[in-house]
Amino acid sequence: MSSTLSYPGPDTITRVVLANGITILVRENHTTPVVVLEGMLDVGAVDDPSGKTGLSSFTTAMLSRGSARYTYAHFNETIESVGASLYFSSESDAANVGITCLSEDFATLVDVMADALRNPTVPRPLFDIVRGQKLVRLQEREQDTSAMAALRFYETVYGGHVLGLPVSGYVESVRAITRDDVAAFHARHYGPQGAIFAVSGDIAPQAAVDLLANALGGWQATPPARNLPALPPLTQPTRLHVPMAGKVQSDILLGVQAVARNHADFYAVRVANTILGVFGMMGRLGEVVREQQGLAYYAYSSLDAGRDSGVWLAGAGVNPADMERAVESMLAEIDNIAQAPVTAEELADAQAYLTGVLPLTLETNDGLAATLLSMEWNALGLDFLARYPAIINAVTVDDVQRVAHTYLRPEALAIVTAGSKA
């Protein structure tokens, strides 16, 4: 894929919108006899009711535990007997589904997936088992410095907004969830409107569309409109430490509310973030904090941008004795990129990296299906892949400094550490 002309685009991607609101994208690829489906439904953790944080995640966990035509045993036997995989998961604003199978088994897997999405039975014995498993994982989270830093960081940077609550919930909220809660959540929030299914692999586009239309085209449900409250902006730096005695590592997360995926500044922020903490050995943060100063086992930055919001963050794992010095060093690098222009060489390296990884992503059915799904979910257009290199290469040194100065404001920073204090 050395030329943008070879990228999948309007001429090679089939896009169909069913009458009930489901969008289907298909890109055929006959190099191997495999088909991959990646899907998203417009229901997620932001729809959890008060006091039941984790309900969306609980619901997706139960989708594979039994449906009208597939008991749990039948579900597993059907999938495992053909060496396929079918998963369901939840995130902040979406429920995810994925299939990987031989092309000859795709019709069977679509049938299982559709019945699970439309007609879960929430068997009581399996509900109790799943809740027990979730509680164990949540208790394990309380002993993990990285997980606790992330938990408290998102709560802090989003100011208690629902977008900052953990998808998996809390011990207390998961204990409060009942089988009736799961059944009611599914009945209220699951439906076809806004759902997207992207397919890549050894199947003719019309055959894939027909299979999905036959399995899901008759699904009729209208979830309530989602009205999220406005995000409360951070107006002063916020520092929080999560004490965890006896830990040999402390974890640091610091960052700011930044841009949503469709914001005009997204690509400039992405380039800036690549320079700050991604490219090479984790960018400037990795080079200075880890390599030069030896203050961290790892140091990086990341842009977490969704449809409704975004967070620009930096993280590090450190010896507890080096925690405060590492925080100061990370803040210094953030200040540097906000106050002084990056070099032309840094910009060129970041642009080459961001455009160079795209063809590699599209070499696999998994990568292509996930890319098509993201394009549709974020309303980027079928010609996005052809436009993407020019978008990245149009970012200038001035753009990088402008967005870093705009968003990496000291007064908007949330700083969370977790672990032992030296």
Side-chain angles (χ1 to χ4, degrees), residues 344-356:
E345 182 180 6
E346 285 179 306
L347 176 63
D349 285 345
Q351 290 169 324
Y353 168 77
L354 289 171
T355 55

Side-chain angles (χ1 to χ4, degrees), residues 63-105:
L63 295 179
S64 60
R65 264 65 180 189
S67 60
R69 291 188 292 108
Y70 291 89
T71 65
Y72 184 47
H74 189 197
F75 178 97
N76 288 318
E77 179 185 356
T78 302
I79 295 167
E80 292 171 3
S81 66
V82 295
S85 67
L86 169 58
Y87 78 87
F88 302 97
S89 65
S90 184
E91 55 186 276
S92 181
D93 62 351
N96 305 308
V97 56
I99 292 173
T100 301
C101 65
L102 294 175
S103 50
E104 64 190 43
D105 301 315

Side-chain angles (χ1 to χ4, degrees), residues 144-186:
D144 185 320
T145 57
S146 176
M148 288 305 296
L151 173 68
R152 300 307 180 203
F153 170 76
Y154 277 95
E155 291 172 343
T156 303
V157 77
Y158 278 129
H161 190 277
V162 64
L163 283 167
L165 300 182
V167 173
S168 56
Y170 303 96
V171 169
E172 298 78 8
S173 64
V174 170
R175 280 181 178 150
I177 292 171
T178 67
R179 177 184 175 277
D180 288 344
D181 289 331
V182 172
F185 185 87
H186 179 273

Side-chain angles (χ1 to χ4, degrees), residues 20-75:
N20 64 354
I22 291 175
T23 300
I24 301 169
L25 303 169
V26 188
R27 175 69 152 85
E28 59 185 324
N29 171 23
H30 300 289
T31 56
T32 59
V34 172
V35 177
V36 172
L37 175 147
E38 295 287 342
M40 297 178 84
L41 282 73
D42 194 13
V43 51
V46 293
D47 300 306
D48 288 346
S50 177
K52 299 293 176 73
T53 305
L55 180 53
S56 173
S57 175
F58 210 137
T59 303
T60 54
M62 293 306 300
L63 295 179
S64 60
R65 264 65 180 189
S67 60
R69 291 188 292 108
Y70 291 89
T71 65
Y72 184 47
H74 189 197
F75 178 97

Side-chain angles (χ1 to χ4, degrees), residues 309-385:
S309 65
V311 172
W312 193 356
L313 61 91
V318 303
N319 185 311
D322 295 325
M323 187 170 65
E324 292 305 322
R325 287 194 298 153
V327 169
E328 292 173 4
S329 180
M330 293 167 73
L331 291 174
E333 290 309 311
I334 286 173
D335 184 65
N336 286 341
I337 199 169
Q339 301 303 327
V342 300
T343 68
E345 182 180 6
E346 285 179 306
L347 176 63
D349 285 345
Q351 290 169 324
Y353 168 77
L354 289 171
T355 55
V357 297
L358 179 59
L360 298 177
T361 301
L362 302 177
E363 286 182 353
T364 66
N365 286 319
D366 301 71
L368 184 51
T371 300
L372 296 180
L373 182 64
S374 175
M375 287 163 52
E376 183 67 28
W377 186 254
N378 294 296
L380 302 178
L382 294 183
D383 63 343
F384 170 72
L385 295 175

Side-chain angles (χ1 to χ4, degrees), residues 42-44 46-48 93 185 187-191 193-194 221-229 307-308:
D42 194 13
V43 51
V46 293
D47 300 306
D48 288 346
D93 62 351
F185 185 87
R188 178 174 172 79
H189 292 286
Y190 271 68
Q193 189 65 42
T222 306
R226 178 187 295 155
N227 295 304
L228 294 179
R307 291 201 297 186
D308 300 301

